[in-house]
């Protein structure tokens, strides 16, 4: 699949400046892509139905990106192909005071899906090694000196390890974690910010702090590379997808979701002979009604 060219599973290094933020390099036709996206949404619905009935594996999609890269709209459009009964979306904001009193995975555990369900994380525990690391937020945490007084690199190296182990733990508990970074260019982000300022229906999406973060755009790119390299694994891959054209991003995400569902248990439970006999007995009783 096309998305494979943007996949990182730990075997190669992620260099964002070498990766496209649009579809030009892939030489594709927009009309075809739109049709293929629609097809994928249908496949997704059919697969999810069986995945839900099967109930032996859980799926977690992590979406990370700079502001205005399209996380919300990707969720809105791509996930429209899924039955809401088996999906839950969690948006991870700045931790509140109760969350800050706990370890950083505490709030994540509460958002884990039951097996047979899909969780979509709009931002995630990756913020704890991204925004936290960039702004040294850990310095303000209530933690023991032995934790906070160590070298900063050591502190975050530990977090990378904890994340790898957490995702491995989930895999060994019959979950799959798929991580998606929406790779938007600085230029496109500017366009989208201007659109949010100019369009009253989008004003609410913009805050002055988005501009403050934009000033760190290049630092974030380097940090994302580091985080992707440190946490990409065969069983918990990263995808760094071009995000300057929403129609293309949606297509690639739809491919990834279909692929994840295809690789996950999705067999309708087969009844035992006894249970099947039971069904037939029920049929006979139903047919005997009013006759
Ligand atoms: P938004 O996704 O635009 O609604 O913004 C949510 C904000 O919460 C972003 O600026 C994130 O960087 C921030 N955020 C999410 N998780 C954390 C975290 N663990 N620590 C600090 N800030 C966070
Ligand atoms: Mg925002």
């Amino acid at each position: 699949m096309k998305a494979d060219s943007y996949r990182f599973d730990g075997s190669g290094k992620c260099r964002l400046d070498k990766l496209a933020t649009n579809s030009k390099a892939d030489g594709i036709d927009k009309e075809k892509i739109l049709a293929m996206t629609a097809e994928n949404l249908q496949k997704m619905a059919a697969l999810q139905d069986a995945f839900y009935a099967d109930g032996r594996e859980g799926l977690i999609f992590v979406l990370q990106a700079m502001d205005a890269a399209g996380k919300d709209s990707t969720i809105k459009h791509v996930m429209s192909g899924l039955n809401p009964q088996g999906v839950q979306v969690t948006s991870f904001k700045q931790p509140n005071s109760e969350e800050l009193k706990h370890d950083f995975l505490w709030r994540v555990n509460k958002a884990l899906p039951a097996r047979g369900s899909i969780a979509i994380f709009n931002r995630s525990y990756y913020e704890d090694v991204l925004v936290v690391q960039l702004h040294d937020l850990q310095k303000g945490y209530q933690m023991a000196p032995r934790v906070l007084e160590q070298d900063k690199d050591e502190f975050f190296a530990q977090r990378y390890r904890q994340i790898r182990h957490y995702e491995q733990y989930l895999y060994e508990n019959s979950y799959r974690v798929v991580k998606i970074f929406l790779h938007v260019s600085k230029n496109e982000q500017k366009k989208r910010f201007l659109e949010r300022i100019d369009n009253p229906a989008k004003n609410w999406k913009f805050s002055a702090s988005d501009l403050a973060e934009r000033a760190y755009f290049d630092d974030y790119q380097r940090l994302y590379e580091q985080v992707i390299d440190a946490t990409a694994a065969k069983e918990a891959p990263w995808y760094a997808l071009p995000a300057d054209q929403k129609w293309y991003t949606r297509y690639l995400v739809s491919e990834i979701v279909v692929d994840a569902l295809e690789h996950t248990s999705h067999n309708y439970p087969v009844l035992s002979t006894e249970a099947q006999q039971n069904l037939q007995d029920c049929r006979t009783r139903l047919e005997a009604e009013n006759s």
Side-chain angles (χ1 to χ4, degrees), residues 108-140:
V108 181
N109 271 314
K110 293 200 288 186
L112 290 179
R115 295 189 193 94
S117 290
I118 298 173
I120 298 159
F121 290 174
N122 184 348
R123 301 189 192 268
S124 65
Y125 46 96
Y126 280 99
E127 294 292 326
D128 294 280
V129 289
L130 288 161
V131 67
V132 172
Q133 181 161 203
L134 201 105
H135 293 299
D136 270 329
L137 300 181
Q138 77 286 355
K139 287 186 177 164

mmCIF file of all heavy atoms in Angstrom, residues 108-140:
data_model
loop_
_atom_site.group_PDB
_atom_site.id
_atom_site.type_symbol
_atom_site.label_atom_id
_atom_site.label_comp_id
_atom_site.label_asym_id
_atom_site.label_seq_id
_atom_site.Cartn_x
_atom_site.Cartn_y
_atom_site.Cartn_z
ATOM 1 N N VAL A 108 -3.950 7.458 30.295
ATOM 2 C CA VAL A 108 -4.021 6.674 29.062
ATOM 3 C C VAL A 108 -4.727 5.342 29.329
ATOM 4 O O VAL A 108 -5.573 4.902 28.543
ATOM 5 C CB VAL A 108 -2.603 6.422 28.503
ATOM 6 C CG1 VAL A 108 -2.660 5.635 27.212
ATOM 7 C CG2 VAL A 108 -1.872 7.742 28.323
ATOM 8 N N ASN A 109 -4.382 4.743 30.465
ATOM 9 C CA ASN A 109 -5.017 3.465 30.812
ATOM 10 C C ASN A 109 -6.530 3.572 30.850
ATOM 11 O O ASN A 109 -7.237 2.671 30.445
ATOM 12 C CB ASN A 109 -4.517 2.999 32.180
ATOM 13 C CG ASN A 109 -3.260 2.167 32.040
ATOM 14 O OD1 ASN A 109 -3.205 1.281 31.188
ATOM 15 N ND2 ASN A 109 -2.262 2.457 32.828
ATOM 16 N N LYS A 110 -6.994 4.702 31.362
ATOM 17 C CA LYS A 110 -8.441 4.889 31.461
ATOM 18 C C LYS A 110 -9.096 5.002 30.089
ATOM 19 O O LYS A 110 -10.293 4.824 29.956
ATOM 20 C CB LYS A 110 -8.733 6.155 32.290
ATOM 21 C CG LYS A 110 -8.314 5.994 33.745
ATOM 22 C CD LYS A 110 -9.012 6.991 34.648
ATOM 23 C CE LYS A 110 -8.489 8.405 34.453
ATOM 24 N NZ LYS A 110 -9.055 9.352 35.428
ATOM 25 N N ALA A 111 -8.289 5.333 29.085
ATOM 26 C CA ALA A 111 -8.845 5.524 27.742
ATOM 27 C C ALA A 111 -8.661 4.283 26.849
ATOM 28 O O ALA A 111 -9.017 4.305 25.673
ATOM 29 C CB ALA A 111 -8.191 6.744 27.088
ATOM 30 N N LEU A 112 -8.109 3.208 27.404
ATOM 31 C CA LEU A 112 -7.887 2.006 26.580
ATOM 32 C C LEU A 112 -9.223 1.373 26.201
ATOM 33 O O LEU A 112 -10.156 1.344 27.006
ATOM 34 C CB LEU A 112 -7.032 0.987 27.342
ATOM 35 C CG LEU A 112 -5.567 1.349 27.576
ATOM 36 C CD1 LEU A 112 -4.879 0.238 28.360
ATOM 37 C CD2 LEU A 112 -4.842 1.607 26.264
ATOM 38 N N PRO A 113 -9.316 0.860 24.983
ATOM 39 C CA PRO A 113 -10.578 0.247 24.539
ATOM 40 C C PRO A 113 -10.703 -1.187 25.051
ATOM 41 O O PRO A 113 -9.706 -1.841 25.340
ATOM 42 C CB PRO A 113 -10.427 0.252 23.017
ATOM 43 C CG PRO A 113 -8.953 0.095 22.794
ATOM 44 C CD PRO A 113 -8.275 0.820 23.939
ATOM 45 N N ALA A 114 -11.945 -1.646 25.158
ATOM 46 C CA ALA A 114 -12.157 -3.074 25.389
ATOM 47 C C ALA A 114 -11.749 -3.800 24.117
ATOM 48 O O ALA A 114 -11.770 -3.214 23.029
ATOM 49 C CB ALA A 114 -13.626 -3.332 25.690
ATOM 50 N N ARG A 115 -11.396 -5.065 24.199
ATOM 51 C CA ARG A 115 -11.095 -5.818 22.979
ATOM 52 C C ARG A 115 -12.360 -5.856 22.112
ATOM 53 O O ARG A 115 -13.468 -5.973 22.622
ATOM 54 C CB ARG A 115 -10.600 -7.217 23.310
ATOM 55 C CG ARG A 115 -9.262 -7.169 24.041
ATOM 56 C CD ARG A 115 -8.635 -8.552 24.202
ATOM 57 N NE ARG A 115 -7.539 -8.474 25.160
ATOM 58 C CZ ARG A 115 -7.686 -8.729 26.466
ATOM 59 N NH1 ARG A 115 -8.856 -9.114 26.948
ATOM 60 N NH2 ARG A 115 -6.656 -8.604 27.267
ATOM 61 N N GLY A 116 -12.162 -5.731 20.810
ATOM 62 C CA GLY A 116 -13.295 -5.636 19.882
ATOM 63 C C GLY A 116 -13.618 -4.184 19.561
ATOM 64 O O GLY A 116 -14.388 -3.893 18.667
ATOM 65 N N SER A 117 -13.005 -3.282 20.320
ATOM 66 C CA SER A 117 -13.246 -1.857 20.088
ATOM 67 C C SER A 117 -11.987 -1.161 19.590
ATOM 68 O O SER A 117 -10.877 -1.679 19.711
ATOM 69 C CB SER A 117 -13.711 -1.180 21.370
ATOM 70 O OG SER A 117 -15.006 -1.603 21.688
ATOM 71 N N ILE A 118 -12.225 0.034 19.069
ATOM 72 C CA ILE A 118 -11.133 0.839 18.529
ATOM 73 C C ILE A 118 -11.043 2.123 19.338
ATOM 74 O O ILE A 118 -12.066 2.775 19.585
ATOM 75 C CB ILE A 118 -11.409 1.196 17.051
ATOM 76 C CG1 ILE A 118 -11.496 -0.083 16.209
ATOM 77 C CG2 ILE A 118 -10.348 2.148 16.506
ATOM 78 C CD1 ILE A 118 -11.936 0.152 14.776
ATOM 79 N N ALA A 119 -9.847 2.479 19.762
ATOM 80 C CA ALA A 119 -9.652 3.775 20.414
ATOM 81 C C ALA A 119 -8.864 4.669 19.477
ATOM 82 O O ALA A 119 -7.903 4.222 18.840
ATOM 83 C CB ALA A 119 -8.901 3.610 21.728
ATOM 84 N N ILE A 120 -9.302 5.907 19.379
ATOM 85 C CA ILE A 120 -8.550 6.892 18.613
ATOM 86 C C ILE A 120 -8.063 7.940 19.598
ATOM 87 O O ILE A 120 -8.863 8.542 20.314
ATOM 88 C CB ILE A 120 -9.424 7.535 17.531
ATOM 89 C CG1 ILE A 120 -9.875 6.457 16.552
ATOM 90 C CG2 ILE A 120 -8.664 8.637 16.800
ATOM 91 C CD1 ILE A 120 -11.093 6.835 15.779
ATOM 92 N N PHE A 121 -6.762 8.102 19.650
ATOM 93 C CA PHE A 121 -6.182 9.106 20.541
ATOM 94 C C PHE A 121 -5.826 10.349 19.722
ATOM 95 O O PHE A 121 -4.963 10.302 18.848
ATOM 96 C CB PHE A 121 -4.908 8.581 21.230
ATOM 97 C CG PHE A 121 -5.163 7.504 22.257
ATOM 98 C CD1 PHE A 121 -4.087 6.847 22.864
ATOM 99 C CD2 PHE A 121 -6.454 7.156 22.654
ATOM 100 C CE1 PHE A 121 -4.302 5.861 23.829
ATOM 101 C CE2 PHE A 121 -6.681 6.170 23.622
ATOM 102 C CZ PHE A 121 -5.602 5.519 24.208
ATOM 103 N N ASN A 122 -6.520 11.440 20.013
ATOM 104 C CA ASN A 122 -6.220 12.725 19.398
ATOM 105 C C ASN A 122 -5.194 13.403 20.311
ATOM 106 O O ASN A 122 -5.548 13.951 21.337
ATOM 107 C CB ASN A 122 -7.525 13.522 19.311
ATOM 108 C CG ASN A 122 -7.340 14.844 18.594
ATOM 109 O OD1 ASN A 122 -6.212 15.286 18.356
ATOM 110 N ND2 ASN A 122 -8.446 15.480 18.259
ATOM 111 N N ARG A 123 -3.917 13.298 19.954
ATOM 112 C CA ARG A 123 -2.785 13.513 20.847
ATOM 113 C C ARG A 123 -2.786 12.361 21.860
ATOM 114 O O ARG A 123 -3.743 11.601 21.941
ATOM 115 C CB ARG A 123 -2.803 14.860 21.559
ATOM 116 C CG ARG A 123 -2.810 16.057 20.613
ATOM 117 C CD ARG A 123 -2.596 17.342 21.399
ATOM 118 N NE ARG A 123 -2.866 18.525 20.607
ATOM 119 C CZ ARG A 123 -1.939 19.170 19.911
ATOM 120 N NH1 ARG A 123 -0.697 18.732 19.898
ATOM 121 N NH2 ARG A 123 -2.249 20.234 19.228
ATOM 122 N N SER A 124 -1.736 12.283 22.661
ATOM 123 C CA SER A 124 -1.568 11.055 23.437
ATOM 124 C C SER A 124 -0.460 11.220 24.463
ATOM 125 O O SER A 124 0.009 12.329 24.702
ATOM 126 C CB SER A 124 -1.164 9.926 22.485
ATOM 127 O OG SER A 124 0.122 10.243 21.944
ATOM 128 N N TYR A 125 0.002 10.094 24.993
ATOM 129 C CA TYR A 125 1.168 10.079 25.883
ATOM 130 C C TYR A 125 2.430 10.541 25.165
ATOM 131 O O TYR A 125 3.443 10.815 25.830
ATOM 132 C CB TYR A 125 1.372 8.678 26.473
ATOM 133 C CG TYR A 125 1.268 7.555 25.460
ATOM 134 C CD1 TYR A 125 2.395 7.025 24.853
ATOM 135 C CD2 TYR A 125 0.024 7.040 25.093
ATOM 136 C CE1 TYR A 125 2.305 6.001 23.924
ATOM 137 C CE2 TYR A 125 -0.080 6.015 24.158
ATOM 138 C CZ TYR A 125 1.053 5.508 23.574
ATOM 139 O OH TYR A 125 0.946 4.504 22.637
ATOM 140 N N TYR A 126 2.388 10.649 23.842
ATOM 141 C CA TYR A 126 3.559 11.196 23.146
ATOM 142 C C TYR A 126 3.776 12.670 23.459
ATOM 143 O O TYR A 126 4.891 13.183 23.340
ATOM 144 C CB TYR A 126 3.470 10.939 21.640
ATOM 145 C CG TYR A 126 3.893 9.524 21.321
ATOM 146 C CD1 TYR A 126 2.949 8.521 21.117
ATOM 147 C CD2 TYR A 126 5.239 9.176 21.297
ATOM 148 C CE1 TYR A 126 3.334 7.208 20.891
ATOM 149 C CE2 TYR A 126 5.641 7.868 21.067
ATOM 150 C CZ TYR A 126 4.687 6.887 20.864
ATOM 151 O OH TYR A 126 5.083 5.605 20.649
ATOM 152 N N GLU A 127 2.707 13.381 23.873
ATOM 153 C CA GLU A 127 2.889 14.775 24.308
ATOM 154 C C GLU A 127 3.863 14.834 25.485
ATOM 155 O O GLU A 127 4.541 15.835 25.692
ATOM 156 C CB GLU A 127 1.552 15.400 24.710
ATOM 157 C CG GLU A 127 0.563 15.564 23.554
ATOM 158 C CD GLU A 127 0.996 16.610 22.528
ATOM 159 O OE1 GLU A 127 1.619 17.608 22.903
ATOM 160 O OE2 GLU A 127 0.707 16.409 21.328
ATOM 161 N N ASP A 128 3.912 13.752 26.255
ATOM 162 C CA ASP A 128 4.769 13.736 27.443
ATOM 163 C C ASP A 128 6.252 13.619 27.111
ATOM 164 O O ASP A 128 7.097 13.740 28.005
ATOM 165 C CB ASP A 128 4.327 12.606 28.384
ATOM 166 C CG ASP A 128 2.946 12.891 28.944
ATOM 167 O OD1 ASP A 128 2.843 13.674 29.881
ATOM 168 O OD2 ASP A 128 1.957 12.364 28.383
ATOM 169 N N VAL A 129 6.557 13.355 25.839
ATOM 170 C CA VAL A 129 7.965 13.424 25.425
ATOM 171 C C VAL A 129 8.157 14.484 24.342
ATOM 172 O O VAL A 129 9.268 14.661 23.845
ATOM 173 C CB VAL A 129 8.487 12.048 24.925
ATOM 174 C CG1 VAL A 129 8.624 11.077 26.098
ATOM 175 C CG2 VAL A 129 7.593 11.464 23.839
ATOM 176 N N LEU A 130 7.081 15.165 23.953
ATOM 177 C CA LEU A 130 7.189 16.209 22.925
ATOM 178 C C LEU A 130 7.095 17.588 23.572
ATOM 179 O O LEU A 130 8.106 18.183 23.912
ATOM 180 C CB LEU A 130 6.096 15.999 21.863
ATOM 181 C CG LEU A 130 6.333 14.785 20.953
ATOM 182 C CD1 LEU A 130 5.063 14.336 20.256
ATOM 183 C CD2 LEU A 130 7.403 15.111 19.912
ATOM 184 N N VAL A 131 5.848 18.049 23.804
ATOM 185 C CA VAL A 131 5.707 19.403 24.368
ATOM 186 C C VAL A 131 6.405 19.500 25.730
ATOM 187 O O VAL A 131 7.037 20.512 26.057
ATOM 188 C CB VAL A 131 4.211 19.815 24.447
ATOM 189 C CG1 VAL A 131 3.434 18.996 25.450
ATOM 190 C CG2 VAL A 131 4.072 21.301 24.787
ATOM 191 N N VAL A 132 6.342 18.429 26.500
ATOM 192 C CA VAL A 132 6.958 18.444 27.829
ATOM 193 C C VAL A 132 8.481 18.608 27.704
ATOM 194 O O VAL A 132 9.089 19.443 28.378
ATOM 195 C CB VAL A 132 6.595 17.164 28.626
ATOM 196 C CG1 VAL A 132 7.382 17.097 29.920
ATOM 197 C CG2 VAL A 132 5.095 17.122 28.904
ATOM 198 N N GLN A 133 9.071 17.839 26.785
ATOM 199 C CA GLN A 133 10.526 17.911 26.609
ATOM 200 C C GLN A 133 10.950 19.258 26.037
ATOM 201 O O GLN A 133 11.924 19.868 26.487
ATOM 202 C CB GLN A 133 10.979 16.763 25.680
ATOM 203 C CG GLN A 133 12.464 16.726 25.449
ATOM 204 C CD GLN A 133 12.982 15.382 24.931
ATOM 205 O OE1 GLN A 133 14.144 15.080 25.096
ATOM 206 N NE2 GLN A 133 12.150 14.570 24.315
ATOM 207 N N LEU A 134 10.171 19.752 25.053
ATOM 208 C CA LEU A 134 10.541 21.002 24.396
ATOM 209 C C LEU A 134 10.524 22.176 25.372
ATOM 210 O O LEU A 134 11.357 23.072 25.299
ATOM 211 C CB LEU A 134 9.603 21.274 23.223
ATOM 212 C CG LEU A 134 10.224 22.226 22.217
ATOM 213 C CD1 LEU A 134 10.675 21.469 20.981
ATOM 214 C CD2 LEU A 134 9.280 23.330 21.829
ATOM 215 N N HIS A 135 9.539 22.164 26.265
ATOM 216 C CA HIS A 135 9.404 23.307 27.183
ATOM 217 C C HIS A 135 9.858 22.997 28.605
ATOM 218 O O HIS A 135 9.570 23.767 29.516
ATOM 219 C CB HIS A 135 7.958 23.789 27.191
ATOM 220 C CG HIS A 135 7.545 24.392 25.876
ATOM 221 N ND1 HIS A 135 8.160 25.494 25.341
ATOM 222 C CD2 HIS A 135 6.590 24.030 24.982
ATOM 223 C CE1 HIS A 135 7.594 25.796 24.176
ATOM 224 N NE2 HIS A 135 6.645 24.921 23.936
ATOM 225 N N ASP A 136 10.519 21.852 28.782
ATOM 226 C CA ASP A 136 11.029 21.495 30.107
ATOM 227 C C ASP A 136 9.946 21.494 31.179
ATOM 228 O O ASP A 136 10.180 21.893 32.322
ATOM 229 C CB ASP A 136 12.121 22.506 30.542
ATOM 230 C CG ASP A 136 13.501 22.044 30.102
ATOM 231 O OD1 ASP A 136 13.712 20.803 30.042
ATOM 232 O OD2 ASP A 136 14.345 22.906 29.814
ATOM 233 N N LEU A 137 8.742 21.059 30.804
ATOM 234 C CA LEU A 137 7.623 21.105 31.754
ATOM 235 C C LEU A 137 7.852 20.179 32.946
ATOM 236 O O LEU A 137 7.319 20.410 34.027
ATOM 237 C CB LEU A 137 6.308 20.729 31.051
ATOM 238 C CG LEU A 137 5.889 21.628 29.884
ATOM 239 C CD1 LEU A 137 4.563 21.160 29.286
ATOM 240 C CD2 LEU A 137 5.764 23.079 30.351
ATOM 241 N N GLN A 138 8.671 19.138 32.732
ATOM 242 C CA GLN A 138 8.933 18.192 33.833
ATOM 243 C C GLN A 138 9.526 18.893 35.050
ATOM 244 O O GLN A 138 9.365 18.437 36.174
ATOM 245 C CB GLN A 138 9.812 17.022 33.348
ATOM 246 C CG GLN A 138 11.290 17.314 33.176
ATOM 247 C CD GLN A 138 11.602 18.153 31.928
ATOM 248 O OE1 GLN A 138 10.726 18.450 31.133
ATOM 249 N NE2 GLN A 138 12.864 18.539 31.770
ATOM 250 N N LYS A 139 10.194 20.020 34.805
ATOM 251 C CA LYS A 139 10.822 20.756 35.926
ATOM 252 C C LYS A 139 9.791 21.231 36.934
ATOM 253 O O LYS A 139 10.111 21.427 38.100
ATOM 254 C CB LYS A 139 11.614 21.954 35.402
ATOM 255 C CG LYS A 139 12.900 21.556 34.722
ATOM 256 C CD LYS A 139 13.729 22.788 34.354
ATOM 257 C CE LYS A 139 15.062 22.386 33.741
ATOM 258 N NZ LYS A 139 15.691 23.521 33.046
ATOM 259 N N GLY A 140 8.547 21.420 36.459
ATOM 260 C CA GLY A 140 7.502 21.888 37.371
ATOM 261 C C GLY A 140 6.713 20.751 38.011
ATOM 262 O O GLY A 140 5.754 20.988 38.731
#
